[in-house]
Amino acid sequence: MLCTIAKLDETSTEKLNALMGEAYAELGMYHQLYGHITVATYIGNEETDFIAYCKEQMKTVSPFALVYHKVEVLDKSSIIVATPEKTATLKWLHDQIHARYSHALNEWTKGDAWYPHTTLLYSPGADLRRICHMVSKNFIPFSAFVQRIEFSRVLEKGYEIIDRIDLASASAAPLLCRDGIQ
């Protein structure tokens, strides 16, 4: 399984880590966050071609901002998440991958099932609604910044970043600035 992820800047990751810390503290545990939003999860057999296609599509995309606007529970997957707005750039990135690889995406990132989020806590047995309520008390919407797309292989324990593309800088040309933010 290979995930295409929008990697968040350090400041945003720190804010999300603080929220995650609150969630795990409710369970008496600790976990470190790798700040990202999964754009697509590829389950096909042609990883090299998949990465090459994604990098080609993304080579002129500018870094972009988005706003995390809520914390919520996603019951089907037993997780608490921070949810960003689905900006035009984020949607465009997903749509480019889906247009060519819809047949090889997992059920969570295929078509309209894709719901951009950052997972703060996975715990099937916990009272997620109670924990989410506690975390939400301290949540203030904030802007995050994406400067890189990474390709992450899911391992039995954890993950491995196997490739990445830094999004085009504001001084490069040509640029696609899908959200009007440069």
Side-chain angles (χ1 to χ4, degrees):
M1 186 175 348
L2 185 69
C3 297
T4 303
I5 62 175
K7 180 67 177 100
L8 301 173
D9 64 286
E10 286 184 38
T11 302
S12 304
T13 297
E14 288 171 12
K15 290 178 183 180
L16 291 166
N17 237 334
L19 291 170
M20 184 180 209
E22 291 178 38
Y24 272 90
E26 288 293 314
L27 299 176
M29 300 167 63
Y30 174 77
H31 187 62
Q32 187 71 23
L33 177 80
Y34 190 73
H36 74 280
I37 299 165
T38 301
V39 178
T41 301
Y42 178 74
I43 54 177
N45 296 321
E46 303 296 326
E47 287 184 357
T48 302
D49 291 342
F50 175 78
I51 291 170
Y53 171 79
C54 290
K55 289 175 85 170
E56 180 64 28
Q57 297 305 305
M58 298 169 190
K59 70 182 181 183
T60 60
V61 175
S62 296
F64 62 96
L66 46 80
V67 175
Y68 278 88
H69 58 92
K70 64 182 172 179
V71 175
E72 63 184 317
V73 174
L74 299 183
D75 291 311
K76 286 184 178 180
S77 29
S78 300
I79 57 178
I80 296 175
V81 301
T83 306
E85 63 184 339
K86 192 186 284 189
T87 65
T89 301
L90 197 57
K91 184 175 177 347
W92 184 86
L93 292 170
H94 176 263
D95 289 350
Q96 295 309 299
I97 297 169
H98 188 266
R100 178 144 175 200
Y101 288 100
S102 64
H103 65 282
L105 299 181
N106 74 352
E107 67 178 300
W108 303 107
T109 62
K110 191 178 283 195
D112 291 337
W114 177 64
Y115 187 70
H117 64 275
T118 299
T119 301
L120 301 175
L121 174 71
Y122 168 72
S123 186
D127 183 351
L128 296 179
R129 299 237 174 256
R130 181 187 64 75
I131 296 170
C132 184
H133 178 72
M134 296 297 296
V135 171
S136 294
K137 286 181 182 180
N138 296 321
F139 178 76
I140 298 170
F142 66 93
S143 294
F145 199 58
V146 175
Q147 294 179 297
R148 180 171 61 234
I149 302 298
E150 295 179 339
F151 301 92
S152 170
R153 180 170 292 121
V154 178
L155 306 173
E156 190 172 313
K157 290 188 178 190
Y159 62 90
E160 173 189 17
I161 304 301
I162 62 166
D163 205 344
R164 71 168 166 260
I165 181 170
D166 292 322
L167 299 181
S169 69
S171 62
L175 293 179
L176 299 176
C177 190
R178 307 232 176 261
D179 298 316
I181 300 168
Q182 293 191 0

